[in-house]
Amino acid sequence: MTATIVSTEHLTKRYGDRAAVDDVSLTVRRGEVYGFLGPNGAGKTTTLRMLLGLVRPTSGRATVLGRHPGDPAVNGRVGALVEGPGFYPYLSGRDNLRVMARYQGIGDAPVEEALARVDLLERGKDAFRSYSLGMKQRLGVASALLGDPDLLILDEPTNGLDPAGMSDMRRLVVDLAAGGQTVVLSSHMLTEVQEICDRVGVISNGRLLTEATVAELRGATSLFVRAEPADVALAVAMRVAGDDAVQVVDDGFRLETGAKNAPVVTQALVEAGARVHEIRPSERTLEEVFFEMTTPEEALR
Amino acid sequence: MTTVNAVLASTRAELLRLRKWPALWVMTGAWLLLNVMFVYVFNYLSYTTGSTTPRGEGIPKEALLAEMLPAAAPISAVQGLPMFGGAIMMILGALAIGSGYGWGTWKTVFTQGPSRLATTAGSLVALVLAIVAIVALTFVLDLGLSTLVAATESQTIVWPGLGDIAPALGGGVLIASMWMLGGALIGTLAKGPALGVGLGLVWVLAVENLLRGVANLLGGMDVVTDHLPGTAAGSLAGGLGAGGGTDGTPGVFTTLDTASASWLLVAYLVVFAGITAVVVRRRDLA
């Protein structure tokens, strides 16, 4: 039993001159929910396709469950939904899953379980082509769940789902991880990744920009302070938190200091004669981090 | 999963989705209808009215009747396969394999466990089994209709022997499978059914005949035309007893002897399936 479920080393895929995936080295550990985050066209899907053996890397290598991607022994233990669900339009949702169950050499019982998990039991008899986008997506996830795989690779699993469906899907992923399954999911929805992922890989233009826990990415908590007069407040803030630890934002300051220092800062401000309008712990959202990372520097200037 | 189990699992999966595929039933129905029309309906009308249909002219009435009796049922069931039946089988192969690229089902299937080779083998085996069923169904239908003809025309019923049935149906399956695999190959190369269907039909229905025309004018070309898939298929049907020539079933020849024709068909079958497998195995599914 190895703790690393997926690892890639310098994984690269070129289409002509264009590198869709460029030198990506990432690691997914057993039992975690790994968020693969990036704008559309960043290389998320191509990377996931390489992990499934659907696409051959141009260079570099990937290991999934200790073997080459696409090895039959690996594919049997991986469940996947990549770039939209692909099913026979004329078959019912249930029959589509039965076909996949036959490919896996398992019986029909897991089909009913999978349909139940994504809430499609009632519509299971209807033709796939009559499904809404969200139902198709849910069937795709159900198919990934068949055979109780060790690793689930879900490409934009909430695509096309309404808010309730998204929330159901997030709960499902959290449940799966709690049950010991490792989940790799890609998304361009930061809130989703923030809520359910343990670790995140951020990819843009084919390159992996960073790989870290959500908390690491967002950085330490800081304090947001809005007080008047501004010059007095700024002086106090710099005295308490340190000269480099104060940032002027919007109509206040951000102090790089823990939330537990709020009373100390408040007291210092009041003693200096400042009127405090607002003081609260402040965390950068993943969204802010993400845009800082993925926006080209020239665009920021 | 061992390789054999993987192929078996894939075959079972494909059989399930083929069985519930309306297109398969439409194609089977079209084939059966053509078979019944050309073997029984037109010939029977020609026989009873004595009118000169294109087929009736110059053929003695007794010969026309003999073709519609139970003893001829094994040949009746397969004589249309070298040409128009072959075209339908080619469409079947191209649709069954090519559509998966548009539907996105291959990417789903290739992540289920069985290797791409096992998956491809399973799909092709399932399609061949479908052809076996179609040929058997045609034979049963023809046996029934021919018995009806015999009863109506007060003929003594002579049942075909196993020695007639087995080679005819086996040959029919071989011919139909060869065309189907040709369609599957084009469907795979084109990653879609449309080009496969279009090119396949033009080849089966037109190009081979045009080439045979050219071969009559150019010496040396006949080495090529004598070994085309359609020639092999037609020669096998001819060797099994189907009436060819200008008055007979289109696409039936006597160019090659039965053994050479059979081996050539097997060779085409292996080559078509082999290239399909290699392409599927190596391809990026993007």
Side-chain angles (χ1 to χ4, degrees):
Chain A
M1 281 290 191
T2 144
T4 303
I5 296 285
V6 176
S7 73
T8 72
E9 287 166 40
H10 309 292
L11 199 63
T12 301
K13 180 68 187 182
R14 294 184 172 282
Y15 292 106
D17 283 344
R18 198 180 64 85
V21 174
D22 192 4
D23 201 26
V24 167
S25 301
L26 57 80
T27 315
V28 179
R29 297 171 194 146
R30 178 176 296 280
E32 73 180 354
V33 180
Y34 186 96
F36 205 36
L37 195 59
N40 291 330
K44 302 186 296 284
T45 300
T46 307
T47 306
L48 297 185
R49 280 178 186 279
M50 285 192 275
L51 294 183
L52 290 166
L54 290 174
V55 165
R56 249 172 255 261
T58 310
S59 63
R61 52 192 213 101
T63 312
V64 179
L65 297 162
R67 287 167 179 265
H68 278 299
D71 184 310
V74 172
N75 271 355
R77 293 168 57 201
V78 178
L81 165 64
V82 175
E83 191 146 57
F87 291 105
Y88 303 101
Y90 56 90
L91 287 183
S92 68
R94 179 176 281 113
D95 280 337
N96 265 298
L97 292 193
R98 282 184 177 161
V99 170
M100 298 311 158
R102 288 209 184 6
Y103 267 111
Q104 293 192 16
I106 57 178
D108 284 347
V111 168
E112 299 306 311
E113 275 170 45
L115 282 174
R117 270 203 112 151
V118 298
D119 205 17
L120 273 180
L121 268 181
E122 275 183 29
R123 295 292 305 273
K125 63 181 186 310
D126 295 338
F128 177 71
R129 77 160 81 78
S130 73
Y131 282 7
S132 68
L133 185 58
M135 289 163 69
K136 288 179 175 171
Q137 196 74 8
R138 266 149 54 201
L139 189 70
V141 173
S143 158
L145 294 175
L146 278 180
D148 220 2
D150 296 334
L151 170 65
L152 276 156
I153 295 184
L154 306 174
D155 188 18
E156 309 259 2
T158 54
N159 223 357
L161 298 185
D162 56 18
M166 284 191 188
S167 139
D168 287 348
M169 186 65 68
R170 283 197 282 269
R171 201 163 49 237
L172 176 62
V173 169
V174 171
D175 282 354
L176 292 170
Q181 280 163 306
T182 308
V183 183
V184 175
L185 67 89
S186 79
S187 181
H188 60 270
M189 306 256 309
L190 299 123
T191 44
E192 170 173 295
V193 168
Q194 185 163 340
E195 271 178 49
I196 62 177
C197 292
D198 301 304
R199 289 196 316 133
V200 185
V202 180
I203 189 169
S204 178
N205 286 322
R207 298 190 72 93
L208 190 69
L209 300 177
T210 188
E211 192 180 42
T213 64
V214 172
E216 278 166 4
L217 268 186
R218 292 166 67 176
T221 327
S222 54
L223 271 182
F224 175 80
V225 175
R226 193 157 60 85
E228 283 177 335
D231 52 341
V232 176
L234 181 61
V236 173
M238 287 168 71
R239 179 161 49 80
V240 178
D243 287 356
D244 298 332
V246 181
Q247 224 186 329
V248 181
V249 288
D250 299 332
D251 52 350
F253 318 108
R254 197 195 299 279
L255 278 67
E256 284 174 30
T257 180
K260 64 178 188 305
N261 289 331
V264 180
V265 175
T266 315
Q267 194 178 0
L269 284 167
V270 171
E271 280 169 4
R275 291 188 303 278
V276 179
H277 292 279
E278 189 179 358
I279 181 161
R280 60 178 162 84
S282 143
E283 271 184 295
R284 288 198 301 170
T285 61
L286 206 46
E287 194 150 6
E288 288 166 324
V289 179
F290 179 73
F291 280 119
E292 263 169 46
M293 279 186 183
T294 56
T295 311
E297 278 176 25
E298 53 268 33
L300 286 175
R301 283 194 204 122
Chain B
M1 225 191 271
T2 65
T3 310
V4 175
N5 284 342
V7 174
L8 279 178
S10 305
T11 307
R12 289 188 63 222
E14 286 292 300
L15 281 177
L16 171 60
R17 71 105 172 168
L18 285 176
R19 204 176 67 226
K20 300 205 172 187
W21 188 29
L24 176 68
W25 294 102
V26 170
M27 283 183 279
T28 306
W31 157 248
L32 291 176
L33 186 68
L34 286 171
N35 177 270
V36 169
M37 297 300 277
F38 282 101
V39 177
Y40 296 101
V41 176
F42 294 152
N43 284 351
Y44 189 73
L45 288 177
S46 167
Y47 173 76
T48 48
T49 61
S51 70
T52 50
T53 63
R55 277 234 49 209
E57 200 169 10
I59 299 180
K61 285 188 108 180
E62 300 74 45
L64 212 48
L65 179 62
E67 282 181 19
M68 293 184 280
L69 293 180
I75 290 302
S76 302
V78 301
Q79 65 185 7
L81 284 172
M83 202 157 171
F84 64 82
I88 292 176
M89 296 308 155
M90 204 158 195
I91 298 174
L92 170 66
L95 277 178
I97 303 294
S99 300
Y101 291 95
W103 292 334
T105 43
W106 287 126
K107 94 186 161 200
T108 311
V109 166
F110 290 162
T111 53
Q112 297 305 313
S115 69
R116 291 195 193 186
L117 272 184
T119 306
T120 309
S123 317
L124 298 182
V125 168
L127 281 167
V128 169
L129 290 176
I131 284 177
V132 170
I134 292 172
V135 169
L137 189 63
T138 317
F139 172 61
V140 171
L141 181 69
D142 286 3
L143 201 61
L145 286 171
S146 57
T147 310
L148 192 66
V149 171
T152 317
E153 298 300 320
S154 320
Q155 301 288 316
T156 331
I157 292 180
V158 183
W159 298 111
L162 195 62
D164 296 322
I165 299 172
L169 300 196
V173 168
L174 185 59
I175 294 167
S177 300
M178 188 275 295
W179 285 126
M180 179 278 289
L181 287 167
L185 172 59
I186 310 176
T188 300
L189 291 176
K191 290 194 190 178
L195 191 64
V197 169
L199 282 182
L201 286 186
V202 171
W203 178 267
V204 178
L205 299 177
V207 176
E208 282 209 2
N209 282 321
L210 292 175
L211 285 176
R212 280 183 208 109
V214 172
N216 289 337
L217 303 173
L218 289 176
M221 264 296 277
D222 50 358
V223 182
V224 178
T225 55
D226 284 356
H227 296 89
L228 292 174
T231 316
S235 299
L236 178 55
L240 289 169
T246 45
D247 290 332
T249 313
V252 173
F253 305 106
T254 46
T255 316
L256 303 171
D257 62 68
T258 309
S260 324
S262 303
W263 283 115
L264 194 54
L265 282 176
V266 170
Y268 274 117
L269 198 138
V270 169
V271 169
F272 291 162
I275 301 176
T276 304
V278 169
V279 171
V280 169
R281 201 175 118 82
R282 298 183 53 87
R283 162 176 288 166
D284 271 358
L285 224 67

